Short mmCIF file of all heavy atoms in Angstrom, two decimals:
data_model
loop_
_atom_site.label_atom_id
_atom_site.label_comp_id
_atom_site.label_asym_id
_atom_site.label_seq_id
_atom_site.Cartn_x
_atom_site.Cartn_y
_atom_site.Cartn_z
N MET A 293 -22.57 -2.31 8.02
CA MET A 293 -21.19 -2.66 7.94
C MET A 293 -20.62 -3.01 9.30
O MET A 293 -19.84 -3.88 9.42
CB MET A 293 -20.37 -1.51 7.32
CG MET A 293 -20.61 -1.26 5.84
SD MET A 293 -20.31 -2.72 4.79
CE MET A 293 -18.60 -3.00 5.09
N ARG A 294 -21.07 -2.25 10.32
CA ARG A 294 -20.55 -2.55 11.66
C ARG A 294 -20.92 -3.98 12.06
O ARG A 294 -20.10 -4.71 12.64
CB ARG A 294 -21.12 -1.56 12.69
CG ARG A 294 -20.42 -0.25 12.66
CD ARG A 294 -20.94 0.67 13.79
NE ARG A 294 -20.20 1.89 13.80
CZ ARG A 294 -20.55 2.99 13.13
NH1 ARG A 294 -21.65 3.01 12.40
NH2 ARG A 294 -19.81 4.08 13.20
N ASP A 295 -22.15 -4.38 11.75
CA ASP A 295 -22.60 -5.76 12.11
C ASP A 295 -21.80 -6.79 11.33
O ASP A 295 -21.48 -7.85 11.89
CB ASP A 295 -24.09 -5.91 11.81
CG ASP A 295 -24.95 -5.08 12.74
OD1 ASP A 295 -24.47 -4.67 13.81
OD2 ASP A 295 -26.11 -4.82 12.36
N ARG A 296 -21.50 -6.49 10.08
CA ARG A 296 -20.77 -7.50 9.27
C ARG A 296 -19.32 -7.65 9.71
O ARG A 296 -18.79 -8.72 9.69
CB ARG A 296 -20.78 -7.10 7.78
CG ARG A 296 -22.10 -7.38 7.13
CD ARG A 296 -22.00 -7.06 5.66
NE ARG A 296 -23.21 -7.41 4.98
CZ ARG A 296 -23.44 -7.16 3.72
NH1 ARG A 296 -22.55 -6.51 3.02
NH2 ARG A 296 -24.57 -7.52 3.18
N SER A 297 -18.67 -6.54 10.05
CA SER A 297 -17.25 -6.62 10.35
C SER A 297 -17.05 -7.24 11.74
O SER A 297 -16.19 -8.10 11.93
CB SER A 297 -16.56 -5.28 10.28
OG SER A 297 -17.02 -4.43 11.32
N GLY A 298 -17.82 -6.79 12.72
CA GLY A 298 -17.76 -7.37 14.04
C GLY A 298 -16.45 -7.24 14.78
O GLY A 298 -16.32 -7.74 15.90
N ASP A 299 -15.46 -6.62 14.15
CA ASP A 299 -14.14 -6.56 14.75
C ASP A 299 -13.75 -5.14 15.17
O ASP A 299 -12.61 -4.89 15.55
CB ASP A 299 -13.08 -7.16 13.86
CG ASP A 299 -12.94 -6.40 12.54
OD1 ASP A 299 -13.67 -5.40 12.33
OD2 ASP A 299 -12.10 -6.81 11.70
N GLY A 300 -14.66 -4.19 14.98
CA GLY A 300 -14.36 -2.80 15.34
C GLY A 300 -13.64 -2.02 14.24
O GLY A 300 -13.36 -0.84 14.43
N SER A 301 -13.35 -2.67 13.13
CA SER A 301 -12.59 -1.99 12.07
C SER A 301 -13.36 -0.82 11.48
O SER A 301 -12.76 0.23 11.13
CB SER A 301 -12.21 -2.97 10.97
OG SER A 301 -13.34 -3.55 10.37
N VAL A 302 -14.68 -0.91 11.36
CA VAL A 302 -15.47 0.21 10.81
C VAL A 302 -15.37 1.40 11.74
O VAL A 302 -15.16 2.53 11.30
CB VAL A 302 -16.93 -0.23 10.59
CG1 VAL A 302 -17.80 0.98 10.23
CG2 VAL A 302 -17.02 -1.28 9.48
N ASP A 303 -15.49 1.17 13.02
CA ASP A 303 -15.39 2.28 14.02
C ASP A 303 -14.01 2.92 13.95
O ASP A 303 -13.88 4.14 14.08
CB ASP A 303 -15.69 1.76 15.41
CG ASP A 303 -17.14 1.35 15.59
OD1 ASP A 303 -18.02 2.02 14.98
OD2 ASP A 303 -17.43 0.40 16.29
N ARG A 304 -12.97 2.11 13.77
CA ARG A 304 -11.60 2.66 13.67
C ARG A 304 -11.45 3.55 12.43
O ARG A 304 -10.86 4.65 12.52
CB ARG A 304 -10.54 1.55 13.67
CG ARG A 304 -10.35 0.92 15.02
CD ARG A 304 -9.12 0.03 15.09
NE ARG A 304 -9.22 -1.12 14.19
CZ ARG A 304 -9.84 -2.26 14.45
NH1 ARG A 304 -10.43 -2.39 15.64
NH2 ARG A 304 -9.85 -3.26 13.63
N VAL A 305 -11.99 3.12 11.31
CA VAL A 305 -11.93 3.92 10.08
C VAL A 305 -12.72 5.19 10.24
O VAL A 305 -12.25 6.28 9.86
CB VAL A 305 -12.39 3.11 8.84
CG1 VAL A 305 -12.50 4.00 7.63
CG2 VAL A 305 -11.43 1.97 8.57
N VAL A 306 -13.90 5.10 10.80
CA VAL A 306 -14.74 6.31 11.02
C VAL A 306 -13.97 7.30 11.92
O VAL A 306 -13.96 8.50 11.63
CB VAL A 306 -16.09 5.93 11.64
CG1 VAL A 306 -16.84 7.15 12.14
CG2 VAL A 306 -16.94 5.19 10.62
N ALA A 307 -13.34 6.82 12.95
CA ALA A 307 -12.57 7.68 13.85
C ALA A 307 -11.42 8.36 13.08
O ALA A 307 -11.17 9.55 13.29
CB ALA A 307 -12.05 6.92 15.05
N ARG A 308 -10.74 7.61 12.20
CA ARG A 308 -9.63 8.20 11.42
C ARG A 308 -10.16 9.29 10.47
O ARG A 308 -9.52 10.34 10.31
CB ARG A 308 -8.91 7.10 10.63
CG ARG A 308 -8.03 6.19 11.46
CD ARG A 308 -7.27 5.24 10.60
NE ARG A 308 -6.41 5.92 9.65
CZ ARG A 308 -5.21 6.44 9.89
NH1 ARG A 308 -4.71 6.36 11.12
NH2 ARG A 308 -4.48 7.03 8.95
N ILE A 309 -11.29 9.04 9.87
CA ILE A 309 -11.86 10.03 8.96
C ILE A 309 -12.23 11.29 9.73
O ILE A 309 -11.91 12.42 9.33
CB ILE A 309 -13.08 9.44 8.19
CG1 ILE A 309 -12.63 8.37 7.23
CG2 ILE A 309 -13.87 10.55 7.48
CD1 ILE A 309 -13.75 7.53 6.64
N ARG A 310 -12.91 11.11 10.85
CA ARG A 310 -13.31 12.27 11.68
C ARG A 310 -12.10 13.06 12.17
O ARG A 310 -12.19 14.28 12.32
CB ARG A 310 -14.17 11.80 12.86
CG ARG A 310 -15.56 11.41 12.40
CD ARG A 310 -16.47 11.10 13.57
NE ARG A 310 -17.81 10.86 13.08
CZ ARG A 310 -18.62 9.98 13.62
NH1 ARG A 310 -18.29 9.31 14.69
NH2 ARG A 310 -19.83 9.80 13.11
N ALA A 311 -11.01 12.38 12.46
CA ALA A 311 -9.80 13.04 12.95
C ALA A 311 -8.97 13.64 11.81
O ALA A 311 -7.96 14.31 12.09
CB ALA A 311 -8.95 12.04 13.74
N GLY A 312 -9.37 13.45 10.59
CA GLY A 312 -8.58 13.97 9.43
C GLY A 312 -7.38 13.17 9.10
O GLY A 312 -6.52 13.61 8.32
N LEU A 313 -7.27 11.96 9.65
CA LEU A 313 -6.12 11.09 9.35
C LEU A 313 -6.32 10.25 8.10
O LEU A 313 -5.34 9.73 7.55
CB LEU A 313 -5.88 10.15 10.53
CG LEU A 313 -5.57 10.83 11.88
CD1 LEU A 313 -5.50 9.82 12.98
CD2 LEU A 313 -4.29 11.65 11.78
N THR A 314 -7.54 10.14 7.64
CA THR A 314 -7.90 9.44 6.41
C THR A 314 -8.93 10.28 5.68
O THR A 314 -9.88 10.74 6.30
CB THR A 314 -8.45 8.04 6.69
OG1 THR A 314 -7.45 7.24 7.31
CG2 THR A 314 -8.94 7.37 5.43
N VAL A 315 -8.70 10.47 4.38
CA VAL A 315 -9.69 11.19 3.54
C VAL A 315 -10.12 10.23 2.45
O VAL A 315 -9.27 9.64 1.77
CB VAL A 315 -9.06 12.46 2.91
CG1 VAL A 315 -10.04 13.16 2.03
CG2 VAL A 315 -8.57 13.40 4.02
N VAL A 316 -11.42 10.10 2.28
CA VAL A 316 -11.97 9.15 1.28
C VAL A 316 -12.62 9.93 0.15
O VAL A 316 -13.29 10.95 0.38
CB VAL A 316 -13.01 8.23 1.96
CG1 VAL A 316 -13.63 7.28 0.96
CG2 VAL A 316 -12.37 7.44 3.10
N ALA A 317 -12.43 9.43 -1.05
CA ALA A 317 -13.14 9.94 -2.24
C ALA A 317 -13.71 8.76 -2.97
O ALA A 317 -13.15 7.67 -2.96
CB ALA A 317 -12.19 10.71 -3.17
N ALA A 318 -14.88 8.97 -3.61
CA ALA A 318 -15.54 7.89 -4.33
C ALA A 318 -16.26 8.41 -5.56
O ALA A 318 -16.72 9.54 -5.57
CB ALA A 318 -16.55 7.17 -3.43
N ALA A 319 -16.36 7.57 -6.57
CA ALA A 319 -17.21 7.82 -7.74
C ALA A 319 -18.48 7.01 -7.49
O ALA A 319 -18.42 5.77 -7.43
CB ALA A 319 -16.50 7.40 -9.02
N VAL A 320 -19.59 7.70 -7.39
CA VAL A 320 -20.86 7.06 -7.05
C VAL A 320 -21.85 7.29 -8.19
O VAL A 320 -21.97 8.38 -8.69
CB VAL A 320 -21.40 7.66 -5.73
CG1 VAL A 320 -22.73 7.04 -5.36
CG2 VAL A 320 -20.40 7.49 -4.59
N GLU A 321 -22.57 6.22 -8.51
CA GLU A 321 -23.60 6.29 -9.52
C GLU A 321 -24.85 5.57 -9.04
O GLU A 321 -24.73 4.42 -8.61
CB GLU A 321 -23.09 5.69 -10.85
CG GLU A 321 -24.04 5.76 -12.00
CD GLU A 321 -23.40 5.24 -13.25
OE1 GLU A 321 -23.41 3.98 -13.45
OE2 GLU A 321 -22.83 6.03 -14.03
N ASP A 322 -25.95 6.23 -9.05
CA ASP A 322 -27.21 5.63 -8.57
C ASP A 322 -27.09 5.03 -7.18
O ASP A 322 -27.60 3.95 -6.89
CB ASP A 322 -27.72 4.58 -9.55
CG ASP A 322 -28.03 5.17 -10.94
OD1 ASP A 322 -28.50 6.30 -10.98
OD2 ASP A 322 -27.80 4.45 -11.94
N GLY A 323 -26.33 5.73 -6.29
CA GLY A 323 -26.21 5.26 -4.95
C GLY A 323 -25.19 4.17 -4.71
O GLY A 323 -25.03 3.67 -3.59
N THR A 324 -24.47 3.76 -5.75
CA THR A 324 -23.47 2.69 -5.63
C THR A 324 -22.07 3.26 -5.85
O THR A 324 -21.84 3.95 -6.86
CB THR A 324 -23.73 1.59 -6.66
OG1 THR A 324 -25.03 1.05 -6.45
CG2 THR A 324 -22.70 0.47 -6.56
N ALA A 325 -21.18 2.97 -4.92
CA ALA A 325 -19.79 3.39 -5.10
C ALA A 325 -19.14 2.49 -6.14
O ALA A 325 -19.06 1.27 -5.93
CB ALA A 325 -19.03 3.32 -3.77
N LEU A 326 -18.75 3.06 -7.26
CA LEU A 326 -18.12 2.30 -8.34
C LEU A 326 -16.61 2.26 -8.20
O LEU A 326 -15.95 1.32 -8.64
CB LEU A 326 -18.47 2.92 -9.69
CG LEU A 326 -19.95 3.03 -10.01
CD1 LEU A 326 -20.13 3.69 -11.37
CD2 LEU A 326 -20.64 1.69 -9.97
N CYS A 327 -16.06 3.30 -7.58
CA CYS A 327 -14.63 3.39 -7.40
C CYS A 327 -14.39 4.22 -6.12
O CYS A 327 -15.14 5.16 -5.86
CB CYS A 327 -13.99 4.09 -8.58
SG CYS A 327 -12.20 4.40 -8.45
N ALA A 328 -13.39 3.86 -5.37
CA ALA A 328 -13.06 4.64 -4.15
C ALA A 328 -11.57 4.55 -3.89
O ALA A 328 -10.89 3.66 -4.38
CB ALA A 328 -13.88 4.13 -2.98
N GLY A 329 -11.11 5.48 -3.06
CA GLY A 329 -9.71 5.46 -2.61
C GLY A 329 -9.59 6.41 -1.47
O GLY A 329 -10.55 7.05 -1.03
N GLN A 330 -8.41 6.51 -0.93
CA GLN A 330 -8.18 7.38 0.23
C GLN A 330 -6.77 7.92 0.24
O GLN A 330 -5.88 7.39 -0.45
CB GLN A 330 -8.49 6.67 1.52
CG GLN A 330 -7.81 5.35 1.70
CD GLN A 330 -8.38 4.56 2.85
OE1 GLN A 330 -8.12 4.93 3.99
NE2 GLN A 330 -9.09 3.48 2.59
N HIS A 331 -6.59 9.01 0.97
CA HIS A 331 -5.20 9.46 1.24
C HIS A 331 -5.04 9.65 2.73
O HIS A 331 -6.00 9.85 3.47
CB HIS A 331 -4.81 10.69 0.37
CG HIS A 331 -5.34 12.01 0.81
ND1 HIS A 331 -4.68 12.82 1.69
CD2 HIS A 331 -6.46 12.67 0.43
CE1 HIS A 331 -5.35 13.95 1.85
NE2 HIS A 331 -6.46 13.87 1.10
N GLN A 332 -3.78 9.52 3.15
CA GLN A 332 -3.46 9.51 4.57
C GLN A 332 -2.50 10.67 4.85
O GLN A 332 -1.29 10.47 4.85
CB GLN A 332 -2.76 8.17 4.95
CG GLN A 332 -3.41 6.94 4.37
CD GLN A 332 -4.63 6.51 5.14
OE1 GLN A 332 -4.79 6.85 6.30
NE2 GLN A 332 -5.49 5.77 4.49
N PRO A 333 -2.98 11.87 5.11
CA PRO A 333 -2.09 13.01 5.31
C PRO A 333 -1.40 12.94 6.67
O PRO A 333 -2.01 12.64 7.71
CB PRO A 333 -3.03 14.20 5.25
CG PRO A 333 -4.38 13.69 5.59
CD PRO A 333 -4.42 12.25 5.16
N VAL A 334 -0.09 13.24 6.63
CA VAL A 334 0.71 13.36 7.86
C VAL A 334 1.61 14.60 7.60
O VAL A 334 2.58 14.51 6.83
CB VAL A 334 1.57 12.13 8.14
CG1 VAL A 334 2.42 12.37 9.37
CG2 VAL A 334 0.69 10.91 8.31
N GLY A 335 1.26 15.71 8.18
CA GLY A 335 2.04 16.94 7.95
C GLY A 335 1.95 17.33 6.47
O GLY A 335 0.87 17.39 5.90
N ALA A 336 3.10 17.52 5.84
CA ALA A 336 3.16 17.97 4.47
C ALA A 336 3.24 16.83 3.47
O ALA A 336 3.55 17.02 2.32
CB ALA A 336 4.35 18.90 4.28
N VAL A 337 2.99 15.59 3.94
CA VAL A 337 3.08 14.41 3.09
C VAL A 337 1.79 13.59 3.17
O VAL A 337 1.19 13.53 4.26
CB VAL A 337 4.27 13.53 3.54
CG1 VAL A 337 4.35 12.27 2.71
CG2 VAL A 337 5.58 14.30 3.45
N SER A 338 1.40 13.00 2.07
CA SER A 338 0.23 12.11 2.12
C SER A 338 0.43 10.97 1.14
O SER A 338 0.96 11.18 0.03
CB SER A 338 -1.07 12.84 1.78
OG SER A 338 -2.18 12.01 2.07
N GLU A 339 -0.04 9.81 1.50
CA GLU A 339 -0.01 8.65 0.63
C GLU A 339 -1.40 8.34 0.17
O GLU A 339 -2.35 8.28 0.93
CB GLU A 339 0.54 7.43 1.37
CG GLU A 339 0.58 6.18 0.49
CD GLU A 339 1.14 4.94 1.17
OE1 GLU A 339 1.26 4.96 2.43
OE2 GLU A 339 1.43 3.99 0.47
#
């Protein structure tokens, strides 16, 4: 993915996940993500 994006966006998302600023969930079947989403917690609120 890093090679495909080439714009640093993957690294930015990874950094957000590691910092707890983005949380990702996915429904995976046979190694393929069929559905995914995320939430963005900020204090007592998350989108």
